[in-house]
Amino acid sequence: SAATLRKKYDDAVTDLKKQAEEQFKLLIHNVKDYAIFMIDTEGCIRSWNKGAEEIEGNIANEIIGKHISVFYLEKDKKDSVPKQNLEMALKNGGYKAEGWHIRKDRSVFWADVVYTPIYDKNDKHIGFSKIIRDLSSRKMTEETVKRSNDFLDSVLDNIPNMVFVKDAKSLQFVGFNKAGEKLLGLSRKDIIGKSDYDFFPKEQADIFTAKDMEV
C-alpha cells in the first residue's frame, strides 16, 4: 500500500541521515591537525577529537566536563578572556582569536582559535564549536624576523652617517636615523611619508627620482 511504501521510504531516509551523521562524527573525531570539539553555553567541554588530544595533550575522559578556561593563561582568566570570546562569538555569529594556550603538560603554544555558536532546529542556542590550530612555528618565525628587524633598525639608527630608507614604489621616506636628524635639523616626523619633492626644487627632485628608479 501507499502507506507501507511511504514508511519504507521514511525509514530509508532516516537510516541514511543516521549513517551520514555517524560518518561526519567519525570524520571530525579522527582529524589530527585541528582540535575540534563542542562546548555548552557555559563554556564546558562536551566532546573531544583526536586533534584535540594531539594538540592539547588531554584524552577525552580527562577533559570532558571541564571549562575551556583550563587552556588559558592566568592573566587571560583574570581578564575574563574565555567568557569574552564566547560572548563575541554569540554576538557576531562567530569569533576568531589568536593567543597563548596551555597544554596538559603546562607547556604553551600559539593557538589560532575559531568559535562558532550552535543552534538546535528551533533556533535555540545550545553551545559552541571550537576549532584550534597550533601556529607555534609561525609565531616563532615571526618573532625571529621581528628580533632581526629590531636589531637592524638599532644598528642603522646608531650609525654616525645619515641613513634614510625609501619605499620602492612611492619613493616616500619610510626610515631616517639619528645622524640624519642631527645633520639636517629635522625630526623623523618631518621626513617620514614625504618625498624629495617636499624638500627640493622640482628639477633636482626629478634627478633624484630618476636615479632612484634606475636603482
Side-chain angles (χ1 to χ4, degrees):
S1 67
T4 302
L5 289 173
R6 181 66 187 181
K7 185 177 186 308
K8 288 183 177 179
Y9 173 79
D10 290 342
D11 290 343
V13 170
T14 299
D15 287 341
L16 286 173
K17 286 182 177 179
K18 287 181 179 179
Q19 290 176 25
E21 288 175 359
E22 288 301 318
Q23 289 172 355
F24 181 72
K25 288 178 181 177
L26 285 172
L27 174 65
I28 295 298
H29 180 72
N30 288 295
V31 170
K32 292 185 177 181
D33 294 331
Y34 293 81
I36 305 173
F37 53 95
M38 302 291 293
I39 53 182
D40 64 20
T41 56
E42 301 300 317
C44 293
I45 298 162
R46 290 292 175 254
S47 69
W48 199 244
N49 78 329
K50 292 288 185 182
E53 290 184 14
E54 293 281 339
I55 293 173
E56 299 287 358
N58 305 89
I59 60 176
N61 62 9
E62 294 174 330
I63 198 70
I64 288 178
K66 293 186 178 180
H67 195 269
I68 57 169
S69 59
V70 298
F71 305 133
Y72 288 80
L73 303 179
E74 287 301 322
K75 178 183 181 301
D76 290 336
K77 286 192 277 190
K78 289 179 181 178
D79 293 339
S80 300
V81 171
K83 180 182 178 182
Q84 291 171 13
N85 287 347
L86 296 181
E87 289 173 348
M88 290 295 293
L90 192 58
K91 178 182 177 181
N92 299 315
Y95 185 64
K96 182 176 180 178
E98 290 189 12
W100 293 109
H101 269 215
I102 302 176
R103 293 190 177 93
K104 177 185 176 181
D105 63 6
R106 309 311 293 170
S107 64
V108 296
F109 68 98
W110 189 256
D112 173 74
V113 184
V114 178
Y115 291 94
T116 304
I118 303 298
Y119 299 87
D120 65 13
K121 62 183 180 181
N122 298 314
D123 290 330
K124 179 183 177 182
H125 178 228
I126 57 174
F128 302 86
S129 67
K130 184 174 181 179
I131 301 174
I132 302 175
R133 199 165 40 134
D134 184 353
L135 296 183
S136 299
S137 296
R138 192 201 73 181
K139 182 66 174 176
M140 290 174 64
T141 300
E142 289 175 350
E143 291 182 348
T144 299
V145 171
K146 184 180 183 302
R147 284 196 297 269
S148 297
N149 288 339
D150 289 344
F151 176 73
L152 179 60
D153 288 342
S154 177
V155 170
L156 292 177
D157 204 32
N158 290 284
I159 287 176
N161 301 315
M162 180 174 71
V163 178
F164 58 84
V165 182
K166 288 182 178 179
D167 179 81
K169 292 183 179 180
S170 68
L171 298 182
Q172 292 177 329
F173 295 100
V174 295
F176 195 59
N177 70 345
K178 293 176 183 177
E181 288 183 308
K182 184 176 181 180
L183 181 64
L184 299 183
L186 296 170
S187 67
R188 288 172 218 210
K189 67 179 181 180
D190 297 323
I191 299 283
I192 302 300
K194 296 181 179 178
S195 71
D196 289 326
Y197 290 95
D198 294 300
F199 302 103
F200 302 100
K202 183 179 182 305
E203 295 78 10
Q204 192 171 1
D206 284 342
I207 295 172
F208 292 151
T209 297
K211 288 184 178 295
D212 286 339
M213 294 301 292
E214 182 181 351
V215 172

